[in-house]
Amino acid sequence: MTVVGPFGLSVRDQALEAAVQTGLAAVEAGLLDATKSEVPFITEAAQHLVRAGGKRFRPLLAMLASQFGDADAPGVVPSAVVVELTHLATLYHDDVMDEADVRRGVDSANTRWGNSVAVLTGDFLFARASHILADLGPEAVRIQAEAFERLVTGQILETAGPRDGRDPVDHYLDVMRGKTGSLIAVACRFGAMMAGADESAVDILTQYGERLGVAFQLADDVLDIASDSHESGKTPGTDLREGIPTLPVLRLRAQAAAGGKPDDLELLELLDGDLSDDDRLAEALCRLRAHPALEQARRDTVRYAEEARAALKSLPECYAKAALEELCDAVVHRAG
């Protein structure tokens, strides 16, 4: 049993381990190649987050999904590069929107070079992803375009907030399906599709990816409150400080609306106030970490991870399927 990929994923087969490691190494080389420019400054900015590392969660899923077909098919690695480039581009834009200072343990691009450079670098990465995608065929272009539309729609809906009468938690989960689930689903879909897996396997893996993607994002919500910067690679409480609704806070609001306990209302008043002060933010984090709403968010994470596992049920038993199932456990483990 060998540990490979993010979260200490255990791969129990040497052939699968070798295939995954080889695929991820090829993706890494592809990312560096795709982020090179004739302009040295653009190369530096575009490779800033590539070289900072990251879990490469989406490429890993593409490599595992490709095991249900011909994992050596020529489109597998480029499709994984496309998905990861798209993800990296959204991080540059997200950090501008969130005014984040840290990403993956290093200064965010907007902190180092300013918002304009960060936004334009994200655009550069989108362009490079599109260039690679064009060689994968019109069906791949359509799939990526639809997923990207869902991703952007999710981001817009998150910014706009729920319409009147809509349950904020239901709205938020819809946002997560688009904002995060859609691209992780595409990673699984591309891996299987480019490998020539049969249509039913492609559909199953796509469903798995979307559900796992939601669980992955909900785990991030928990980590934004429960972790320190060493664990998460970004400043704890970033979403709180920016007033971005995350699931633990939404669960707190729901509990406060149902029961109206003085402590809950006092905590909400703190959260709705000015959290630019480090001491106030630290107090908010401390109180949220002790609140039942955080545990409810953890249970929500577990539910989506279990739904992802259930989606795999009809796939044939193999080491790749076992690894995908273990990823469900690993995502839950991140949330504690």
Side-chain angles (χ1 to χ4, degrees):
M1 183 172 69
T2 305
V3 172
V4 62
F7 319 131
L9 172 67
S10 299
V11 176
R12 296 172 173 81
D13 178 69
Q14 289 185 347
L16 177 59
E17 177 201 350
V20 170
Q21 294 281 27
T22 298
L24 290 176
V27 169
E28 204 66 26
L31 289 171
L32 289 173
D33 186 61
T35 49
K36 288 178 183 175
S37 168
E38 294 179 356
V39 181
F41 175 68
I42 295 177
T43 301
E44 181 186 4
Q47 292 186 349
H48 179 62
L49 290 185
V50 174
R51 294 187 180 280
K55 301 175 184 67
R56 303 294 187 255
F57 185 49
R58 292 154 188 82
L60 174 65
L61 287 169
M63 295 304 111
L64 291 173
S66 74
Q67 294 295 314
F68 294 88
D70 176 10
D72 296 323
V76 172
V77 168
S79 70
V81 172
V82 166
V83 174
E84 188 68 6
L85 281 175
T86 304
H87 170 59
L88 288 169
T90 65
L91 298 185
Y92 281 85
H93 289 181
D94 282 352
D95 285 346
V96 171
M97 294 176 65
D98 299 342
E99 299 180 8
D101 297 325
V102 177
R103 169 69 70 175
R104 295 182 172 176
V106 299
D107 288 345
S108 61
N110 50 297
T111 297
R112 180 169 293 192
W113 294 295
N115 287 345
S116 294
V117 169
V119 169
L120 292 169
T121 302
D123 293 344
F124 176 81
L125 296 182
F126 285 132
R128 288 297 176 88
S130 298
H131 188 273
I132 298 169
L133 189 65
D135 292 331
L136 298 178
E139 179 67 5
V141 172
R142 182 187 63 80
I143 289 168
Q144 174 76 353
E146 290 175 351
F148 191 57
E149 178 182 347
R150 290 188 62 205
L151 188 158
V152 173
T153 299
Q155 185 69 69
I156 292 171
L157 289 175
E158 181 180 58
T159 303
R163 65 180 183 272
D164 290 344
R166 181 81 196 280
D167 179 74
V169 172
D170 289 344
H171 169 84
Y172 183 71
L173 293 174
D174 277 346
V175 165
M176 292 303 103
R177 292 183 191 100
K179 182 181 173 183
T180 304
S182 61
L183 195 59
I184 291 179
V186 165
C188 294
R189 186 172 183 177
F190 274 170
M193 186 178 84
M194 295 298 168
D198 65 67
E199 189 174 337
S200 63
V202 173
D203 288 344
I204 287 168
L205 289 161
T206 302
Q207 294 172 32
Y208 163 86
E210 180 153 332
R211 294 169 187 175
L212 187 69
V214 175
F216 185 84
Q217 181 59 57
L218 298 185
D220 265 4
D221 284 3
V222 172
L223 284 170
D224 185 63
I225 293 167
S227 74
D228 59 32
S229 59
H230 176 73
E231 292 175 292
S232 64
K234 64 180 184 179
T235 305
T238 296
D239 292 335
L240 289 183
R241 175 165 275 168
E242 297 305 318
I244 298 171
T246 59
L247 192 60
V249 175
L250 292 173
R251 288 298 188 192
L252 168 64
R253 293 189 187 281
Q255 291 180 29
K261 295 180 181 178
D263 286 350
D264 291 350
L265 297 174
E266 184 179 309
L267 177 53
L268 283 177
E269 184 178 354
L270 175 64
L271 293 173
D272 291 336
D274 182 8
L275 293 180
S276 61
D277 179 78
D278 288 344
D279 290 339
R280 287 177 61 86
L281 179 63
E283 180 186 354
L285 285 169
C286 181
R287 294 179 65 172
L288 270 173
R289 286 166 181 165
H291 197 280
L294 184 62
E295 182 56 36
Q296 177 63 57
R298 287 194 175 101
R299 290 196 295 270
D300 293 324
T301 305
V302 170
R303 174 166 59 88
Y304 273 93
E306 288 305 311
E307 288 180 3
R309 185 197 306 276
L312 298 172
K313 185 176 181 181
S314 60
L315 286 179
E317 297 300 324
C318 61
Y319 289 115
K321 178 180 177 179
L324 291 170
E325 290 173 335
E326 184 169 326
L327 277 176
C328 298
D329 297 328
V331 166
V332 169
H333 179 73
R334 294 175 70 228

